[in-house]
Amino acid sequence: MEETYSSQKFLRYDIIVDVAPEVKWVPENGYKNLKIVVEIDSDIDAQRASEQELKRRYKSLGLLRIITDRGLQIGDVVVLDISATTIDQDESNVQKIPSAESKGFHFDTEDGDKVLPGFLDSIIGIRQGETKSFPLVFPESWRQENLRGVHAQFTVECKELFYRELPELNDSLAEKLLPGCTTLEQVKESLLQRCLEVEQTAKEQATDNAILDQLHKMIEVDIPQSLFEEQGRQLYGAQLLQIQANMKLNEQQLASLSSPKAVNEYLESQKENITSVIKQNLAVGDIFRRENLQFPTEELVKEVENSISEFKRHKQEYDEERIREQVQEVLEGAKVLEWLKEHAEIEYKTR
């Protein structure tokens, strides 16, 4: 530039920078009148969960005895080899269903609600060494989308068959069911209290998720590429930290997962999710400013220190200023969610 510059001529250069995205609410101030429907899984219902946990602990105290003189009944435990294929008039189109196949599958008949509807009824009466074949249809609510509505032919072989020999359920089992308890009633109360805490946590998390999901749909915003990449790298970094904590990756594995190729593949495959997170964060930050919300400074300092200690523990590089910004976003989010829950109309439904 110095060599080409002349005071007799004009010098022009362009600078391209990203600007902070502007959030537009549709409708304007729509966040002030949220109507949220929160679906709660029936499995977390405290009363039901505590009863199931008591039952599980009680059954663990029993002994399994081999059955030789009768077929399968409710309450028995059976070991099965299972195979399944699709049903089609054209036999050339029949295919195996790998996810439905299993060898040595231990099935407690009291857990019939955890398998395909109709499966338990189809194997009742089966004896050791016997094979049964029967058709079933995967329901539209099945967890694997590609199997919903599929007609399948199951073949099941009974390898082993057991019944439980259980002790009498009374106060004498209290200590074995839950150490520290002396009566069956104490066991029930303690388990219920634990499950109530789990239920409350799950309910709060489901509520937060439902609110955030609705928020990101209520704003229109142009997301700069730099912001998208930064957010994506943060999410990927957090995922790596979790993997490292769970699996203790060696240097070679960590280097491979940290490569530009791996990061870019993540950004591409998780584009929709990353965009949703950004829109949620922008929406939350906008509400925080509009409603003049605040949180204690000492809370920010404490959380920053905790985050830095985690990075040090895993021997990871970190940017303290960036950590402070991230922690501030989290605290702002918590305060906004608290405010929204106070002002929103929330309905809970059990599924």
Side-chain angles (χ1 to χ4, degrees):
M1 288 179 62
E2 289 180 357
E3 292 176 359
T4 58
Y5 174 71
S6 169
S7 60
Q8 305 300 317
K9 299 178 182 179
F10 288 104
L11 175 64
R12 173 179 172 173
Y13 58 93
D14 297 323
I15 299 176
I16 300 176
V17 296
D18 285 329
V19 295
E22 183 179 345
V23 175
K24 179 182 178 182
W25 288 92
V26 183
E28 180 66 24
N29 293 324
Y31 67 86
K32 293 185 177 182
N33 303 295
L34 290 181
K35 292 184 178 180
I36 306 292
V37 176
V38 183
E39 291 191 344
I40 304 295
D41 198 321
S42 61
D43 287 343
I44 68 166
D45 176 75
Q47 188 63 49
R48 178 182 174 184
S50 64
E51 291 172 358
Q52 289 180 336
E53 178 60 16
L54 175 60
K55 193 173 185 179
R56 184 191 68 78
R57 291 173 181 241
Y58 174 51
K59 289 196 293 187
S60 71
L61 300 179
L63 297 174
L64 290 179
R65 303 293 189 187
I66 297 174
I67 298 172
T68 59
D69 58 350
R70 64 171 174 80
L72 181 69
Q73 297 177 358
I74 298 294
D76 294 341
V77 176
V78 62
V79 179
L80 304 168
D81 281 353
I82 305 170
S83 62
T85 62
T86 57
I87 295 176
D88 197 302
Q89 291 183 347
D90 185 349
E91 293 186 2
S92 63
N93 291 331
V94 172
Q95 297 179 337
K96 290 185 176 181
I97 307 177
S99 60
E101 297 186 348
S102 181
K103 293 284 187 181
F105 175 61
H106 286 248
F107 177 47
D108 186 336
T109 52
E110 292 185 349
D111 294 334
D113 58 339
K114 296 180 181 179
V115 294
L116 190 64
F119 183 86
L120 175 58
D121 291 339
S122 298
I123 64 171
I124 288 297
I126 195 171
R127 290 172 172 265
Q128 184 176 357
E130 184 181 355
T131 297
K132 282 191 174 186
S133 185
F134 47 87
L136 291 176
V137 180
F138 287 89
E140 292 300 329
S141 58
W142 193 248
R143 52 187 174 274
Q144 290 175 261
E145 292 184 17
N146 64 314
L147 291 180
R148 292 173 184 173
V150 171
H151 291 249
Q153 186 71 26
F154 282 79
T155 301
V156 175
E157 181 183 357
C158 177
K159 307 298 287 187
E160 295 180 272
L161 190 56
F162 305 93
Y163 72 93
R164 277 197 179 86
E165 189 175 84
L166 293 166
E168 184 180 351
L169 185 59
N170 54 36
D171 290 346
S172 66
L173 297 179
E175 176 67 25
K176 292 180 180 178
L177 290 168
L178 189 62
C181 292
T182 56
T183 67
L184 191 57
E185 196 57 37
Q186 278 185 326
V187 173
K188 292 179 180 179
E189 284 297 322
S190 297
L191 291 178
L192 178 59
Q193 189 56 45
R194 292 183 185 184
C195 291
L196 281 170
E197 292 173 5
V198 172
E199 179 186 49
Q200 184 59 32
T201 300
K203 191 174 182 178
E204 290 176 358
Q205 186 63 58
T207 304
D208 290 350
N209 290 341
I211 290 174
L212 290 172
D213 184 59
Q214 187 156 330
L215 283 184
H216 95 267
K217 296 174 182 177
M218 297 176 69
I219 67 168
E220 293 179 355
V221 61
D222 291 326
I223 301 173
Q225 182 63 22
S226 60
L227 178 57
F228 173 82
E229 292 181 0
E230 181 183 11
Q231 181 65 65
R233 292 177 191 280
Q234 286 175 22
L235 292 173
Y236 188 64
Q239 190 179 82
L240 273 187
L241 278 176
Q242 188 62 47
I243 294 174
Q244 175 72 341
N246 294 337
M247 300 177 58
K248 302 299 181 185
L249 301 173
N250 58 42
E251 290 185 10
Q252 185 177 357
Q253 290 173 319
L254 192 58
S256 176
L257 290 173
S258 304
S259 68
K261 180 182 178 182
V263 175
N264 289 332
E265 287 177 352
Y266 176 84
L267 294 178
E268 184 61 34
S269 66
Q270 296 297 314
K271 185 174 182 178
E272 185 176 341
N273 180 51
I274 295 169
T275 300
S276 295
V277 170
I278 293 172
K279 292 180 74 174
Q280 288 172 3
N281 290 341
L282 291 173
V284 165
D286 193 58
I287 295 171
F288 188 84
R289 288 186 292 274
R290 287 183 179 219
E291 301 302 326
N292 297 314
L293 303 177
Q294 295 180 337
F295 54 81
T297 303
E298 55 269 23
E299 192 173 348
L300 174 63
V301 173
K302 180 181 177 181
E303 291 300 323
V304 169
E305 290 175 350
N306 290 341
S307 295
I308 289 175
S309 65
E310 278 296 301
F311 275 98
K312 289 181 176 179
R313 187 164 69 89
H314 292 292
K315 298 179 181 179
Q316 296 282 330
E317 294 182 1
Y318 62 90
D319 180 342
E320 186 169 343
E321 187 58 37
R322 185 57 194 139
I323 289 176
R324 180 177 292 274
E325 292 174 3
Q326 292 173 345
V327 170
Q328 185 163 328
E329 287 177 1
V330 171
L331 294 177
E332 287 181 4
K335 187 59 68 174
V336 168
L337 284 169
E338 180 183 323
W339 186 91
L340 289 172
K341 280 185 274 193
E342 290 175 357
H343 294 80
E345 183 182 319
I346 303 175
E347 179 185 357
Y348 293 96
K349 289 185 176 180
T350 302
R351 59 187 176 193

